[in-house]
Amino acid sequence: NAGVTQTPKFQVLKTGQSMTLQCAQDMNHEYMSWYRQDPGMGLRLIHYSVGAGITDQGEVPNGYNVSRSTTEDFPLRLLSAAPSQTSVYFCASKKGSWAFFGQGTRLTVV
Amino acid sequence: GQQLNQSPQSMFIQEGEDVSMNCTSSSIFNTWLWYKQEPGEGPVLLIALYKAGELTSNGRLTAQFGITRKDSFLNISASIPSDVGIYFCAGVTGNQFYFGTGTSLTVIP
């Protein structure tokens, strides 16, 4: 049982480049979400989805897009990366109050 | 977003000592969760609390859901080196999780 799988684990981008962070879960959870983690800030919610075809904004959505075409996958897209998006990104899926996190993607934008 | 204040921000303790940390909020939550994050990994759920006043243990860890529903506490007894990590509280309301800023724990052998 893989749980929540994130790829890549590390990424360096130049300002203005685009990329997609992948997240997949095999637990058939309806709810999935993306967080960013910055020093001293805890985990902040970027976007979330309560099921395939449904997405909504979290606390810090600007600069990020998401889509949810299947229950399993919830990719996070950066259309034009900025240095302020340097962070560690975590994907999570949730059933009830139990949230399971991926291992994270460390993104550096130079 | 809702702000969860977690304290202390960091702790340096001797192996064998007990540890206490807490999380407070200006809002009421229906569920409180405590997570541990080790370097290079995602947070892992330690304890879940579902009603005010509830006291729940998981091995050497004990957590309490505050009576006001605006706070929660985590205690670790007889700390060991593998307790090192960052501990996060999370308040849950509906589908939304709100995380504290974390308590970084260092255990000195």
Side-chain angles (χ1 to χ4, degrees), chain B residues 19-21 34 47 49 54-65 72-77:
Chain B
V19 172
S20 290
M21 60 189 78
W34 284 93
I47 292 180
L49 302 158
E54 180 180 353
L55 190 72
T56 297
S57 293
N58 178 5
R60 292 177 296 104
L61 277 62
T62 301
Q64 184 161 23
F65 193 142
S72 181
F73 309 89
L74 176 70
N75 295 314
I76 305 173
S77 63

PDB file of all heavy atoms in Angstrom, chain B residues 19-21 34 47 49 54-65 72-77:
ATOM      1  N   VAL B  19       8.340  16.009  28.257  1.00  0.00           N
ATOM      2  CA  VAL B  19       8.158  17.152  27.368  1.00  0.00           C
ATOM      3  C   VAL B  19       6.685  17.551  27.371  1.00  0.00           C
ATOM      4  O   VAL B  19       5.815  16.675  27.349  1.00  0.00           O
ATOM      5  CB  VAL B  19       8.566  16.779  25.924  1.00  0.00           C
ATOM      6  CG1 VAL B  19       8.214  17.887  24.943  1.00  0.00           C
ATOM      7  CG2 VAL B  19      10.040  16.434  25.852  1.00  0.00           C
ATOM      8  N   SER B  20       6.439  18.847  27.382  1.00  0.00           N
ATOM      9  CA  SER B  20       5.064  19.344  27.255  1.00  0.00           C
ATOM     10  C   SER B  20       5.023  20.454  26.223  1.00  0.00           C
ATOM     11  O   SER B  20       5.884  21.325  26.215  1.00  0.00           O
ATOM     12  CB  SER B  20       4.557  19.887  28.591  1.00  0.00           C
ATOM     13  OG  SER B  20       4.367  18.843  29.505  1.00  0.00           O
ATOM     14  N   MET B  21       4.026  20.412  25.372  1.00  0.00           N
ATOM     15  CA  MET B  21       3.814  21.476  24.402  1.00  0.00           C
ATOM     16  C   MET B  21       2.324  21.710  24.266  1.00  0.00           C
ATOM     17  O   MET B  21       1.522  20.832  24.599  1.00  0.00           O
ATOM     18  CB  MET B  21       4.451  21.135  23.062  1.00  0.00           C
ATOM     19  CG  MET B  21       3.937  19.897  22.405  1.00  0.00           C
ATOM     20  SD  MET B  21       4.908  19.402  20.964  1.00  0.00           S
ATOM     21  CE  MET B  21       6.333  18.616  21.734  1.00  0.00           C
ATOM     22  N   TRP B  34      -2.457  15.708  16.467  1.00  0.00           N
ATOM     23  CA  TRP B  34      -1.031  15.967  16.674  1.00  0.00           C
ATOM     24  C   TRP B  34      -0.223  15.126  15.694  1.00  0.00           C
ATOM     25  O   TRP B  34      -0.446  13.921  15.566  1.00  0.00           O
ATOM     26  CB  TRP B  34      -0.608  15.641  18.113  1.00  0.00           C
ATOM     27  CG  TRP B  34      -1.057  16.692  19.073  1.00  0.00           C
ATOM     28  CD1 TRP B  34      -2.211  16.712  19.802  1.00  0.00           C
ATOM     29  CD2 TRP B  34      -0.361  17.895  19.404  1.00  0.00           C
ATOM     30  NE1 TRP B  34      -2.283  17.852  20.560  1.00  0.00           N
ATOM     31  CE2 TRP B  34      -1.156  18.596  20.342  1.00  0.00           C
ATOM     32  CE3 TRP B  34       0.860  18.458  19.016  1.00  0.00           C
ATOM     33  CZ2 TRP B  34      -0.774  19.823  20.890  1.00  0.00           C
ATOM     34  CZ3 TRP B  34       1.244  19.682  19.554  1.00  0.00           C
ATOM     35  CH2 TRP B  34       0.433  20.348  20.487  1.00  0.00           C
ATOM     36  N   ILE B  47      -1.739  11.317  17.238  1.00  0.00           N
ATOM     37  CA  ILE B  47      -2.919  11.189  18.094  1.00  0.00           C
ATOM     38  C   ILE B  47      -4.040  12.048  17.524  1.00  0.00           C
ATOM     39  O   ILE B  47      -3.795  13.154  17.038  1.00  0.00           O
ATOM     40  CB  ILE B  47      -2.604  11.648  19.540  1.00  0.00           C
ATOM     41  CG1 ILE B  47      -1.628  10.682  20.218  1.00  0.00           C
ATOM     42  CG2 ILE B  47      -3.884  11.755  20.369  1.00  0.00           C
ATOM     43  CD1 ILE B  47      -1.273  11.064  21.643  1.00  0.00           C
ATOM     44  N   LEU B  49      -7.951  13.579  18.622  1.00  0.00           N
ATOM     45  CA  LEU B  49      -8.854  13.867  19.746  1.00  0.00           C
ATOM     46  C   LEU B  49     -10.163  14.382  19.190  1.00  0.00           C
ATOM     47  O   LEU B  49     -10.169  15.288  18.347  1.00  0.00           O
ATOM     48  CB  LEU B  49      -8.223  14.923  20.656  1.00  0.00           C
ATOM     49  CG  LEU B  49      -6.863  14.565  21.236  1.00  0.00           C
ATOM     50  CD1 LEU B  49      -6.113  15.821  21.632  1.00  0.00           C
ATOM     51  CD2 LEU B  49      -7.037  13.655  22.456  1.00  0.00           C
ATOM     52  N   GLU B  54     -11.241  15.184  26.288  1.00  0.00           N
ATOM     53  CA  GLU B  54     -10.702  13.845  25.997  1.00  0.00           C
ATOM     54  C   GLU B  54      -9.207  13.794  26.246  1.00  0.00           C
ATOM     55  O   GLU B  54      -8.476  14.712  25.904  1.00  0.00           O
ATOM     56  CB  GLU B  54     -11.001  13.502  24.537  1.00  0.00           C
ATOM     57  CG  GLU B  54     -10.496  12.135  24.092  1.00  0.00           C
ATOM     58  CD  GLU B  54     -10.819  11.864  22.631  1.00  0.00           C
ATOM     59  OE1 GLU B  54     -11.544  12.670  22.012  1.00  0.00           O
ATOM     60  OE2 GLU B  54     -10.331  10.847  22.105  1.00  0.00           O
ATOM     61  N   LEU B  55      -8.773  12.701  26.847  1.00  0.00           N
ATOM     62  CA  LEU B  55      -7.349  12.452  27.113  1.00  0.00           C
ATOM     63  C   LEU B  55      -7.016  11.133  26.430  1.00  0.00           C
ATOM     64  O   LEU B  55      -7.633  10.106  26.711  1.00  0.00           O
ATOM     65  CB  LEU B  55      -7.117  12.353  28.619  1.00  0.00           C
ATOM     66  CG  LEU B  55      -5.679  12.321  29.116  1.00  0.00           C
ATOM     67  CD1 LEU B  55      -5.034  13.689  28.958  1.00  0.00           C
ATOM     68  CD2 LEU B  55      -5.646  11.907  30.594  1.00  0.00           C
ATOM     69  N   THR B  56      -6.052  11.153  25.518  1.00  0.00           N
ATOM     70  CA  THR B  56      -5.728   9.962  24.735  1.00  0.00           C
ATOM     71  C   THR B  56      -4.231   9.715  24.760  1.00  0.00           C
ATOM     72  O   THR B  56      -3.457  10.661  24.646  1.00  0.00           O
ATOM     73  CB  THR B  56      -6.207  10.130  23.281  1.00  0.00           C
ATOM     74  OG1 THR B  56      -7.620  10.254  23.270  1.00  0.00           O
ATOM     75  CG2 THR B  56      -5.829   8.917  22.430  1.00  0.00           C
ATOM     76  N   SER B  57      -3.857   8.449  24.888  1.00  0.00           N
ATOM     77  CA  SER B  57      -2.435   8.092  24.915  1.00  0.00           C
ATOM     78  C   SER B  57      -2.070   7.212  23.739  1.00  0.00           C
ATOM     79  O   SER B  57      -2.889   6.443  23.231  1.00  0.00           O
ATOM     80  CB  SER B  57      -2.102   7.360  26.214  1.00  0.00           C
ATOM     81  OG  SER B  57      -2.224   8.227  27.309  1.00  0.00           O
ATOM     82  N   ASN B  58      -0.814   7.337  23.339  1.00  0.00           N
ATOM     83  CA  ASN B  58      -0.229   6.487  22.300  1.00  0.00           C
ATOM     84  C   ASN B  58       1.200   6.201  22.747  1.00  0.00           C
ATOM     85  O   ASN B  58       2.114   6.969  22.475  1.00  0.00           O
ATOM     86  CB  ASN B  58      -0.266   7.204  20.952  1.00  0.00           C
ATOM     87  CG  ASN B  58       0.378   6.376  19.845  1.00  0.00           C
ATOM     88  OD1 ASN B  58       0.762   5.225  20.064  1.00  0.00           O
ATOM     89  ND2 ASN B  58       0.487   6.950  18.662  1.00  0.00           N
ATOM     90  N   GLY B  59       1.364   5.114  23.483  1.00  0.00           N
ATOM     91  CA  GLY B  59       2.682   4.808  24.046  1.00  0.00           C
ATOM     92  C   GLY B  59       3.075   5.859  25.070  1.00  0.00           C
ATOM     93  O   GLY B  59       2.350   6.114  26.026  1.00  0.00           O
ATOM     94  N   ARG B  60       4.229   6.505  24.855  1.00  0.00           N
ATOM     95  CA  ARG B  60       4.703   7.521  25.797  1.00  0.00           C
ATOM     96  C   ARG B  60       4.083   8.882  25.536  1.00  0.00           C
ATOM     97  O   ARG B  60       4.390   9.855  26.231  1.00  0.00           O
ATOM     98  CB  ARG B  60       6.220   7.622  25.699  1.00  0.00           C
ATOM     99  CG  ARG B  60       6.965   6.373  26.203  1.00  0.00           C
ATOM    100  CD  ARG B  60       8.480   6.492  26.022  1.00  0.00           C
ATOM    101  NE  ARG B  60       8.834   6.575  24.602  1.00  0.00           N
ATOM    102  CZ  ARG B  60       9.194   7.686  23.990  1.00  0.00           C
ATOM    103  NH1 ARG B  60       9.276   8.832  24.652  1.00  0.00           N
ATOM    104  NH2 ARG B  60       9.497   7.683  22.713  1.00  0.00           N
ATOM    105  N   LEU B  61       3.230   8.975  24.545  1.00  0.00           N
ATOM    106  CA  LEU B  61       2.597  10.244  24.204  1.00  0.00           C
ATOM    107  C   LEU B  61       1.198  10.306  24.782  1.00  0.00           C
ATOM    108  O   LEU B  61       0.447   9.328  24.709  1.00  0.00           O
ATOM    109  CB  LEU B  61       2.494  10.401  22.680  1.00  0.00           C
ATOM    110  CG  LEU B  61       3.716  10.917  21.923  1.00  0.00           C
ATOM    111  CD1 LEU B  61       4.903   9.990  22.060  1.00  0.00           C
ATOM    112  CD2 LEU B  61       3.374  11.121  20.468  1.00  0.00           C
ATOM    113  N   THR B  62       0.862  11.464  25.345  1.00  0.00           N
ATOM    114  CA  THR B  62      -0.481  11.696  25.845  1.00  0.00           C
ATOM    115  C   THR B  62      -0.925  13.067  25.365  1.00  0.00           C
ATOM    116  O   THR B  62      -0.172  14.039  25.470  1.00  0.00           O
ATOM    117  CB  THR B  62      -0.527  11.668  27.383  1.00  0.00           C
ATOM    118  OG1 THR B  62      -0.064  10.397  27.838  1.00  0.00           O
ATOM    119  CG2 THR B  62      -1.951  11.883  27.883  1.00  0.00           C
ATOM    120  N   ALA B  63      -2.132  13.143  24.835  1.00  0.00           N
ATOM    121  CA  ALA B  63      -2.651  14.418  24.358  1.00  0.00           C
ATOM    122  C   ALA B  63      -4.026  14.659  24.963  1.00  0.00           C
ATOM    123  O   ALA B  63      -4.759  13.714  25.289  1.00  0.00           O
ATOM    124  CB  ALA B  63      -2.735  14.427  22.838  1.00  0.00           C
ATOM    125  N   GLN B  64      -4.354  15.923  25.123  1.00  0.00           N
ATOM    126  CA  GLN B  64      -5.648  16.287  25.682  1.00  0.00           C
ATOM    127  C   GLN B  64      -6.331  17.333  24.826  1.00  0.00           C
ATOM    128  O   GLN B  64      -5.685  18.263  24.318  1.00  0.00           O
ATOM    129  CB  GLN B  64      -5.509  16.813  27.113  1.00  0.00           C
ATOM    130  CG  GLN B  64      -6.861  17.104  27.762  1.00  0.00           C
ATOM    131  CD  GLN B  64      -6.802  17.185  29.264  1.00  0.00           C
ATOM    132  OE1 GLN B  64      -5.751  17.449  29.844  1.00  0.00           O
ATOM    133  NE2 GLN B  64      -7.923  16.953  29.909  1.00  0.00           N
ATOM    134  N   PHE B  65      -7.620  17.186  24.668  1.00  0.00           N
ATOM    135  CA  PHE B  65      -8.486  18.138  23.974  1.00  0.00           C
ATOM    136  C   PHE B  65      -9.003  19.085  25.049  1.00  0.00           C
ATOM    137  O   PHE B  65      -9.709  18.673  25.958  1.00  0.00           O
ATOM    138  CB  PHE B  65      -9.643  17.358  23.339  1.00  0.00           C
ATOM    139  CG  PHE B  65     -10.480  18.102  22.342  1.00  0.00           C
ATOM    140  CD1 PHE B  65     -10.939  17.439  21.214  1.00  0.00           C
ATOM    141  CD2 PHE B  65     -10.844  19.416  22.523  1.00  0.00           C
ATOM    142  CE1 PHE B  65     -11.747  18.089  20.290  1.00  0.00           C
ATOM    143  CE2 PHE B  65     -11.637  20.073  21.611  1.00  0.00           C
ATOM    144  CZ  PHE B  65     -12.088  19.407  20.489  1.00  0.00           C
ATOM    145  N   SER B  72      -5.179  22.477  22.914  1.00  0.00           N
ATOM    146  CA  SER B  72      -4.817  21.075  23.054  1.00  0.00           C
ATOM    147  C   SER B  72      -3.388  20.991  23.558  1.00  0.00           C
ATOM    148  O   SER B  72      -2.592  21.925  23.369  1.00  0.00           O
ATOM    149  CB  SER B  72      -4.953  20.342  21.714  1.00  0.00           C
ATOM    150  OG  SER B  72      -4.627  18.976  21.852  1.00  0.00           O
ATOM    151  N   PHE B  73      -3.076  19.874  24.217  1.00  0.00           N
ATOM    152  CA  PHE B  73      -1.769  19.709  24.836  1.00  0.00           C
ATOM    153  C   PHE B  73      -1.200  18.349  24.462  1.00  0.00           C
ATOM    154  O   PHE B  73      -1.931  17.376  24.304  1.00  0.00           O
ATOM    155  CB  PHE B  73      -1.904  19.783  26.373  1.00  0.00           C
ATOM    156  CG  PHE B  73      -2.660  20.986  26.843  1.00  0.00           C
ATOM    157  CD1 PHE B  73      -4.042  20.936  26.985  1.00  0.00           C
ATOM    158  CD2 PHE B  73      -2.000  22.174  27.123  1.00  0.00           C
ATOM    159  CE1 PHE B  73      -4.758  22.055  27.400  1.00  0.00           C
ATOM    160  CE2 PHE B  73      -2.704  23.289  27.539  1.00  0.00           C
ATOM    161  CZ  PHE B  73      -4.081  23.229  27.681  1.00  0.00           C
ATOM    162  N   LEU B  74       0.120  18.310  24.312  1.00  0.00           N
ATOM    163  CA  LEU B  74       0.800  17.035  24.040  1.00  0.00           C
ATOM    164  C   LEU B  74       1.924  16.873  25.040  1.00  0.00           C
ATOM    165  O   LEU B  74       2.722  17.801  25.238  1.00  0.00           O
ATOM    166  CB  LEU B  74       1.365  17.006  22.613  1.00  0.00           C
ATOM    167  CG  LEU B  74       2.169  15.757  22.254  1.00  0.00           C
ATOM    168  CD1 LEU B  74       1.239  14.542  22.147  1.00  0.00           C
ATOM    169  CD2 LEU B  74       2.925  15.942  20.935  1.00  0.00           C
ATOM    170  N   ASN B  75       1.972  15.725  25.673  1.00  0.00           N
ATOM    171  CA  ASN B  75       3.057  15.396  26.587  1.00  0.00           C
ATOM    172  C   ASN B  75       3.776  14.146  26.086  1.00  0.00           C
ATOM    173  O   ASN B  75       3.146  13.202  25.607  1.00  0.00           O
ATOM    174  CB  ASN B  75       2.525  15.126  27.997  1.00  0.00           C
ATOM    175  CG  ASN B  75       1.910  16.361  28.603  1.00  0.00           C
ATOM    176  OD1 ASN B  75       2.479  17.451  28.542  1.00  0.00           O
ATOM    177  ND2 ASN B  75       0.732  16.225  29.157  1.00  0.00           N
ATOM    178  N   ILE B  76       5.100  14.173  26.195  1.00  0.00           N
ATOM    179  CA  ILE B  76       5.920  13.006  25.883  1.00  0.00           C
ATOM    180  C   ILE B  76       6.678  12.662  27.151  1.00  0.00           C
ATOM    181  O   ILE B  76       7.386  13.507  27.714  1.00  0.00           O
ATOM    182  CB  ILE B  76       6.918  13.297  24.741  1.00  0.00           C
ATOM    183  CG1 ILE B  76       6.188  13.817  23.504  1.00  0.00           C
ATOM    184  CG2 ILE B  76       7.718  12.036  24.401  1.00  0.00           C
ATOM    185  CD1 ILE B  76       7.120  14.295  22.392  1.00  0.00           C
ATOM    186  N   SER B  77       6.527  11.439  27.611  1.00  0.00           N
ATOM    187  CA  SER B  77       7.211  11.048  28.843  1.00  0.00           C
ATOM    188  C   SER B  77       8.499  10.301  28.512  1.00  0.00           C
ATOM    189  O   SER B  77       8.584   9.611  27.486  1.00  0.00           O
ATOM    190  CB  SER B  77       6.302  10.173  29.702  1.00  0.00           C
ATOM    191  OG  SER B  77       5.990   8.978  29.036  1.00  0.00           O
TER     192      SER B  77
END
